[in-house]
Amino acid sequence: ELPEALAHRFFALRHGRSEANVAGIISSDPEVSTRTHGLAPEGKRQADQAGKALADAIAAGSQPSTPPGVAIISSDFLRAKETAVAVAGALADADVKLFGEAVQFDVRLRERYFGDFNGTIDSNYQLVWACDTEDSSHTEYGVESVDDVRKRVIGLVVEMDNMLPEGWWCILVAHGDVLQIMQTAFARMDARRHRELPHLETATLRELQLEIV
C-alpha cells in the first residue's frame, strides 16, 4: 500500500486517442504496442492541448503552488510515449524545468496485459472487468491481475516520491486500466472497485489525491 503521506504532488495523464482506440481493439502486448498503435491525429491534437494547458496553468500560477520542476514518467507503449513527449515539449517551451532527460520511460506504467484478448474487439474488456469485481487476484483469460498492476504502480510512486527534489510535481502518463487501478491505491479503496471511479478520458490530466489515513 501507499504510505500515510507523500511528499510530492502526483498527476495521472491518460494517453491521447490512439490508433487502437479508433480501431476498437485491445492493444496490451509489449511486442506490438511499443512499436505500433501510436496516437491518431485527434490524439496528437489532444496531447498538444494537454501539454499547453498544463504549461499555461503553471505559468499563470493558477495552481495552489508553482512547482520548481516537473517529472514526466511514462509507459513505453508508443501511444503513451508520444503523449508524454508532446507534453514535455510544451513544458520545455514554457521554460518549465524537467526532470532528467525530459521524459523517463518505465515499464511499470505499461497497459495491463489482457492475455487472450490482445488484438480483439475492445468490448471484451467488459468480460475481464466482470471478473475483477469478484476477485482482484484473478488471471482469467490470461490477463494480468488487478493486484499485480496495483503493486507495480505503487512501487513506482513510492520510488519517485523518494527520488524527486522538494516541491516537484510528477506526471504519470499511462493507460486506462492502469490509471483506474492506480486511483484505487490513492483512494485506499478495494481494487476490485476500480471501475466505480470516474473514468479518465483520453489526454485527461487528473491530480491523484491521497486519502488521509
Side-chain angles (χ1 to χ4, degrees):
E1 298 302 305
L2 287 171
E4 289 186 9
L6 294 170
H8 300 86
R9 293 176 67 182
F10 287 83
F11 299 79
L13 175 62
R14 189 179 171 199
H15 62 78
R17 185 167 172 79
S18 71
E19 293 171 348
N21 294 142
V22 173
I25 60 172
I26 296 173
S27 178
S28 70
D29 182 351
E31 291 297 313
V32 174
S33 304
T34 55
R35 300 196 303 266
T36 63
H37 296 151
L39 294 179
E42 179 188 355
K44 292 177 181 177
R45 290 191 295 273
Q46 289 177 331
D48 288 340
Q49 290 165 359
K52 187 175 186 305
L54 178 58
D56 288 348
I58 293 172
S62 59
Q63 295 291 329
S65 61
T66 300
V70 174
I72 301 175
I73 317 299
S74 175
S75 161
D76 63 346
F77 279 20
L78 187 57
R79 55 194 184 268
K81 182 182 289 188
E82 291 177 344
T83 302
V85 168
V87 171
L91 295 183
D93 288 346
D95 294 323
V96 175
K97 189 174 183 180
L98 296 173
F99 184 74
E101 298 297 320
V103 179
Q104 318 297 308
F105 298 103
D106 198 298
V107 298
R108 288 172 288 185
L109 288 176
R110 283 178 172 175
E111 177 62 292
R112 178 184 184 185
Y113 184 67
F114 280 94
D116 297 343
F117 292 138
N118 274 312
T120 68
I121 189 167
D122 58 13
S123 59
N124 285 325
Y125 284 133
Q126 301 292 337
L127 299 175
V128 177
W129 294 336
C131 295
D132 291 350
T133 62
E134 300 296 326
D135 180 9
S136 60
S137 69
H138 86 86
T139 55
E140 293 291 327
Y141 313 108
V143 306
E144 181 181 11
S145 74
V146 169
D147 288 345
D148 282 349
V149 173
R150 182 159 153 157
K151 181 178 179 180
R152 61 175 161 99
V153 297
I154 285 176
L156 174 61
V157 169
V158 171
E159 182 180 306
M160 294 309 301
D161 197 50
N162 291 329
M163 181 187 303
L164 290 176
E166 183 178 352
W168 281 56
W169 292 359
C170 187
I171 313 295
L172 302 169
V173 186
H175 309 266
D177 253 44
V178 172
L179 294 176
Q180 291 297 119
I181 294 166
M182 183 187 295
Q183 288 180 93
T184 69
F186 276 80
R188 303 190 193 280
M189 63 186 284
D190 189 326
R192 293 177 298 177
R193 298 170 54 200
H194 68 91
R195 297 306 302 173
E196 296 177 22
L197 293 170
H199 186 59
L200 270 169
E201 298 298 333
T202 51
T204 297
L205 183 75
R206 178 181 297 163
E207 183 164 7
L208 297 163
Q209 302 281 0
L210 183 65
E211 182 70 20
I212 302 301
V213 177

